[in-house]
Amino acid sequence: MGKGMREERVAGERSLLFGVGISAIGIGMYIPFSLVFFHHVTGLSFALVGIVLTVTGLAGLAVMPLAGSAVDRFGARKVNLLLYAVRAFGFALYPLAGSLPAFAAVALVTALADRSFPIVQQSLIGEVARGGSRDRLQASIRALQNAGMGAGALVVSGVLALWGTDGFTYTTWGNAVAFALAGLLVTRVKPVVRDPADGEPGSAKRPPAGYRMVLADRPFLGLTAANFLTALGYAALSVLFPLYITTWLHGPDSLTGAAFTVNTALCAGIGVLIASRVRRSGARRTRSAALGALLFAAAFVGQIVLGTVRPGQTATLVALLAIVVVYTVGELVHSPSGGALSVSAAPEAVRGRYLATYQLSYSLATALAPSLFTGLLALDGRLPWAFLAVAALGAAFALTRLERHLPAEAVYATPPTPAASDAPAAGPGTPAREPAVAAGA
C-alpha cells in the first residue's frame, strides 16, 4: 500500500474493538485459572472438571464446520451476536450448575460457542472491511485481546484477594456481563455495502455451496497446511516454553512468567504499530506472513543454541527474553497478514466454510502440541525446537510458493490492476474470485 493511500474506515469499528476488549477482559478472568475457577464455582472435583472440559472442548471442534455453514447462510454479524449471547447465558448459569450433569450441559453449550467464535470473528472482519482495513482490524483485535486478557488476570487476582474463593462466582457474572455488552456493541457494526447483484450476507441470492468447494481449492488448502505448521509455533509459548525452562534449562518457574509477561506486553503495546509499518510498506501478505514464520524459526534456533550452551542463570534470563522478543515480533508480523490472507482468499459466498476449514489448522495444532512436544522433549530438549524451526521454514517456503496461485485481493492489501489475460479460469465447482497474482508480479 502506498504511503499516501488512506484506508477505508469500518462502520462501527470503535464499537467492535471496544467489544473485543471487554470480552477479552472476561476471558482473562478465567482462562489462567480454568480448573480452579470451575472447581470453586461448581463444587466438583478437579478430575471431573478436567474431564468435562476436555470432552466438551473436543465436541466443540465437531461443530466448527456447522458454524462455517451458518455464517454463509445467515451472515457473520448475526452469528456473532448469537455466540456472544450464548456465552453470556452460559457464564450466568455456571454458579447454578452444582451437579455434574448441569455443569456438563452448560460447559458443552459454552464450549460450542467458544470453539466457533474465531471462525465467526474472522468472517465478520471479511464482512465489514476491505483491503488494508482487514489487516488493521486483525492487528487491533489481537492487541486488544492480549491487553484485555492481561487486565482480566489482574482483575481476578484483585477479586480473589478481596473476597477469597467466593470471588470466582463474582467473576462468572462479570464474564456474563462482559459478553452481553460486547454483543450489544457488535449491533452497531455495519457490513460493507456490496454490489446488489451479490446479495447481502445470508440472503437468498447467495449461490449454494458446500465443503466440496473448499476441498477442491488446492491453493487455499495449501494455505491452511502452511498455517498448521506456523500454528505449532504459536502453541509453543504456552506448552513447550514452561517445560523446556524447568526440565532442560533447569530454570526457575519465574522465567516462564517473565516470558509470558514480555510476550503479552509487546503484543498489546506495539502490535498495532508493527502491523501498520508492515502494511504501509506495501509488502505482500504472503511475504510478510512468511517473514513472521522466518522470525519464528530464528527464535527456535536461538532456543537450540541456548539449550546447547546452557550459560549461567543471569545469561539464560537475558538470552531467553531476547528470544521471546524475536518470537513475539514474528507473531506480530505474521498474525495480521496471515489472518487477512485467509479472509481475503476465501470466496465471499462461502467465506464461513473456508474459514472454518482454516481454523481447524489452529485447533489441530493446539490438540497435537502437548503430546508432540513432550514426546520430543523426552528424547532431547532441543529436538522440539529443531522440529518447530523446520516447520516454520516449511511454512515460509509454502507461503511464497502459493503466492502466484492465490487471488490478488488476498496477496495485496490494495491489489494492482491485472491485465485481462492474467485472470485464470475458474476451476470446476469454484466460484468466481479475484484474479490470481501474475507470475513475477
Side-chain angles (χ1 to χ4, degrees), residues 226-266:
N227 190 67
F228 168 75
L229 297 177
T230 311
L232 289 171
Y234 278 93
L237 183 64
S238 59
V239 178
L240 182 55
F241 265 70
L243 293 175
Y244 178 72
I245 290 171
T246 56
T247 63
W248 187 259
L249 296 181
H250 302 293
D253 291 335
S254 59
L255 282 180
T256 299
F260 275 91
T261 300
V262 169
N263 176 262
T264 301
L266 289 177

Side-chain angles (χ1 to χ4, degrees), residues 16 23 38 46 48 77 109 116 131 138 189 193 202 212 238 312 317 330 335 345 355 360 376 389 407 437:
L16 172 63
S23 62
F38 291 118
F46 288 112
L48 281 176
R77 181 173 171 272
V109 173
S116 301
Q138 295 278 356
V189 181
V193 177
R212 286 182 297 177
S238 59
L317 172 62
S335 180
L355 293 181
L360 280 174
L376 293 174
V437 180

Side-chain angles (χ1 to χ4, degrees), residues 3 31 37 44 129 131 197 235 243 249 264 292 301 311 357 381 388 410 412 421:
K3 292 185 178 180
I31 283 292
F37 181 96
L44 299 174
L243 293 175
L249 296 181
T264 301
V301 170
T357 303
L388 287 172
Y412 296 93
S421 59

Side-chain angles (χ1 to χ4, degrees), residues 65 68-69 72-73 209-211 214 349-358:
S69 299
D72 292 335
R73 181 169 183 176
Y211 277 98
V214 186
V350 284
R351 184 183 292 132
R353 290 176 172 87
Y354 267 68
L355 293 181
T357 303
Y358 187 81

Side-chain angles (χ1 to χ4, degrees), residues 139 142-143 146 230 233-234 236-238 241 256-275 278 288-289 291-300 303 319-336 385:
R142 188 167 189 84
N146 278 276
T230 311
Y234 278 93
L237 183 64
S238 59
F241 265 70
T256 299
F260 275 91
T261 300
V262 169
N263 176 262
T264 301
L266 289 177
C267 287
I270 65 172
V272 174
L273 175 62
I274 289 181
V278 171
S288 52
L291 175 59
L294 291 176
L295 289 171
F296 268 15
F300 300 149
Q303 292 283 30
L320 184 65
L321 294 182
I323 289 169
V324 171
V325 170
V326 175
Y327 171 91
T328 305
V329 173
E331 179 181 345
L332 297 178
V333 172
H334 174 272
S335 180
W385 299 114

